[in-house]
Amino acid sequence: EAGVAQSPRYKIIEKRQSVAFWCNPISGHATLYWYQQILGQGPKLLIQFQNNGVVDDSQLPKDRFSAERLKGVDSTLKIQPAKLEDSAVYLCASRGSGANVLTFGAGSRLTVL
Amino acid sequence: GEDVEQSLFLSVREGDSSVINCTYTDSSSTYLYWYKQEPGAGLQLLTYIFSNMDMKQDQRLTVLLNKKDKHLSLRIADTQTGDSAIYFCAERANGNNRLAFGKGNQVVVIP
């Protein structure tokens, strides 16, 4: 099966600009996650979707971050306006119903200058 | 809440065994995972263990779980240069479908 697809792989922007990341999960996976991984740290959950509904967005900085999964398949994570501390790798993962494991994409590396 | 602690760095000679440790705080964790991350890559699932097990072996990998002490370890036998990576442990709490990750442990294999 195809893995979790993410794009772009790399993005460099200046602070106060906006950026969007896209994720296409494994076909049929109902649950989709966005994680933020700052250099030297473990991934931190930003938001979790079940189909097109949000299950958990408690750690999403909602003043600047937004995410959607309108049709319950692919998802977009947006940052507007970006800050220096948003420099990180943004990882998307998906999980099939009843499965115990998350499958991760390769990530989108953001550098904010 | 979930909080996962890992030590930071391990260097090991090729062919030796390496052991990576992790402690977690949420006693309701049902599954515990080990993921591997190579430079510039996403997280690759290595193995996971259900909380009612003490040990799981999968080829060169052995996972030990001490639920009383909330301690998880990963032993890699006959470590190879391709095992050089950062290893993350993660816990999944009961009734919760998200994973909480530790900070990772970098393993460097010396030829």
Side-chain angles (χ1 to χ4, degrees), chain B residues 27-47:
Chain B
S27 58
S28 71
S29 292
T30 51
Y31 289 92
L32 295 128
Y33 302 79
W34 284 103
Y35 278 84
K36 175 185 180 184
Q37 187 175 40
E38 297 182 66
L43 294 163
Q44 173 197 352
L45 177 70
L46 288 178
T47 187

Side-chain angles (χ1 to χ4, degrees), chain B residues 2-73:
Chain B
E2 306 127 348
D3 191 17
V4 182
E5 295 288 332
Q6 290 184 253
S7 53
L8 295 179
F9 182 83
L10 174 69
S11 121
V12 61
R13 292 206 174 273
E14 189 175 13
D16 288 351
S17 294
S18 32
V19 179
I20 309 164
N21 297 299
C22 167
T23 58
Y24 60 98
T25 57
D26 193 336
S27 58
S28 71
S29 292
T30 51
Y31 289 92
L32 295 128
Y33 302 79
W34 284 103
Y35 278 84
K36 175 185 180 184
Q37 187 175 40
E38 297 182 66
L43 294 163
Q44 173 197 352
L45 177 70
L46 288 178
T47 187
Y48 67 97
I49 188 168
F50 187 48
S51 59
N52 69 351
M53 298 170 65
D54 298 325
M55 185 183 86
K56 180 178 180 182
Q57 185 151 4
D58 184 0
Q59 299 182 337
R60 294 189 296 119
L61 305 178
T62 303
V63 178
L64 295 177
L65 175 60
N66 181 330
K67 201 172 178 186
K68 174 177 168 289
D69 296 336
K70 301 191 189 71
H71 183 265
L72 183 73
S73 69

Side-chain angles (χ1 to χ4, degrees), chain A residues 26-33 50-51 94-101, chain B residues 92 97:
Chain A
I26 291 173
S27 178
H29 279 196
T31 310
L32 184 148
Y33 308 79
Q50 180 73 19
N51 297 308
S94 69
R95 185 181 66 87
S97 296
N100 296 318
V101 300
Chain B
R92 176 182 163 191
N97 290 321

